[in-house]
Amino acid sequence: AQSVTQLDSQVPVFEEAPVELRCNYSSSVSVYLFWYVQYPNQGLQLLLKYLSGSTLVKGINGFEAEFNKSQTSFHLRKPSVHISDTAEYFCAVITMNSGGYQKVTFGTGTKLQVIP
Amino acid sequence: KAGVTQTPRYLIKTRGQQVTLSCSPISGHRSVSWYQQTPGQGLQFLFEYFSETQRNKGNFPGRFSGRQFSNSRSEMNVSTLELGDSALYLCASSLDRQGRKSFFGQGTRLTVV
C-alpha cells in the first residue's frame, strides 16, 4: 500500500521569507510525485510534478521541489513567499498497478498562511 | 482550450435524496477521476474511469457510483444522501492513465441538510 504524509497541517510564514512544505511517501513501487495548490474557494491546480530525470523540479509561481529517493521525500520550497501564496498545498503520489492503471493517493494538505 | 468543467458548482440537497454531478474533461482526455474533499478527511479518491470503464475505486460505500460516456464525460451519483456527504467533489481529467497531464475542475460543492 502507498501512503503520503504531510506532517505540517498549518505553516505560518512572514512575507518574503523562505518556506518549505514537507511531504514524505511510502510505496513498494516506482512513483510519480505531484504538488497541487488550492486557493480559497477554488479548485486544485497543478504546481509541479516529478516523473523522471532531474530530481529538482521547478513549477509555477517560483515553487520548486526536490525528489529524494533515499529519504522518500518530495518537499516543496519557495525562497521568498508572497501574500498571494496563501493557500492549501497537497502532495500526491501516483503509482501504476500491474494492470497498468493509476492509483492516486493525496496527503492531508498543508495550509500556508503568509503574514504581511 | 477549455478546462475541466464541473456542473453544477453548488448544490443543496436533503437527506435521503440522490444527486448526480457532471464532469466534462478537457478535449482529448480519456481518464476522469473523482475526489471528495472535506475539512476532516482531506482529499480522498473516489474512482477513476478510462475508456468508459471503472479502473480504480476508493474506499467509499456503494451509494457512490459513477459512469463515463463515449465522449469521456463522466457523471457521479450519490444515492440516499447523508449529512456527512457534504463536501467539495472534484473531478480531474488526464491525457493518459499515468496522470502526466492532469487537470482539476473547480468542483461541485454539495451541501446536505
Side-chain angles (χ1 to χ4, degrees):
Chain A
Q2 64 194 47
S3 65
V4 179
T5 303
Q6 290 181 250
L7 286 171
D8 307 306
S9 59
Q10 293 192 49
V11 173
V13 63
F14 285 104
E15 194 173 15
E16 297 184 7
V19 70
E20 179 179 81
L21 306 184
R22 296 180 293 169
C23 173
N24 289 86
Y25 69 92
S26 69
S27 173
S28 57
V29 299
S30 296
V31 299
Y32 304 106
L33 296 158
F34 298 74
W35 273 101
Y36 289 91
V37 59
Q38 185 176 33
Y39 297 103
N41 301 314
Q42 293 187 31
L44 288 170
Q45 296 178 39
L46 179 65
L47 260 183
L48 49 78
K49 58 185 180 289
Y50 170 78
L51 303 178
S52 63
S54 173
T55 56
L56 183 62
V57 180
K58 293 190 185 298
I60 62 172
N61 300 340
F63 283 93
E64 64 179 32
E66 185 156 20
F67 171 53
N68 189 318
K69 189 174 182 180
S70 62
Q71 295 186 6
T72 59
S73 67
F74 191 56
H75 301 332
L76 181 70
R77 296 191 292 259
K78 186 170 182 177
S80 176
V81 296
H82 189 266
I83 291 288
S84 59
D85 293 324
T86 294
E88 190 160 14
Y89 293 80
F90 292 90
C91 180
V93 164
I94 293 182
T95 59
M96 302 293 289
N97 64 22
S98 57
Y101 309 131
Q102 60 169 298
K103 178 177 180 179
V104 185
T105 304
F106 280 87
T108 50
T110 298
K111 290 182 180 175
L112 176 63
Q113 178 67 48
V114 180
I115 304 163
Chain B
K1 201 173 188 179
V4 180
T5 305
Q6 289 188 246
T7 56
R9 288 291 311 280
Y10 302 94
L11 202 53
I12 299 176
K13 289 283 188 179
T14 57
R15 278 184 299 175
Q17 286 187 308
Q18 67 93 28
V19 66
T20 299
L21 311 181
S22 177
C23 172
S24 294
I26 290 172
S27 177
H29 284 195
R30 293 166 63 194
S31 174
V32 174
S33 300
W34 288 90
Y35 301 86
Q36 182 195 65
Q37 185 181 19
T38 59
Q41 300 295 324
L43 201 62
Q44 297 184 88
F45 172 70
L46 278 158
F47 26 65
E48 180 217 349
Y49 287 87
F50 186 88
S51 294
E52 303 177 62
T53 303
Q54 188 179 91
R55 306 294 183 168
N56 274 312
K57 191 176 189 306
N59 189 27
F60 277 82
R63 300 186 296 107
F64 291 80
S65 63
R67 58 178 174 168
Q68 186 179 35
F69 302 95
S70 57
N71 61 358
S72 293
R73 189 177 72 85
S74 177
E75 287 182 348
M76 189 190 89
N77 186 278
V78 187
S79 62
T80 320
L81 283 166
E82 301 176 359
L83 295 179
D85 297 333
S86 295
L88 180 67
Y89 290 88
L90 292 164
C91 162
S93 81
S94 62
L95 195 60
D96 55 29
R97 298 172 190 170
Q98 294 176 330
R100 282 178 289 189
K101 289 186 184 295
S102 195
F103 298 89
F104 280 84
Q106 290 197 300
T108 294
R109 184 163 295 282
L110 171 65
T111 302
V112 182
V113 297

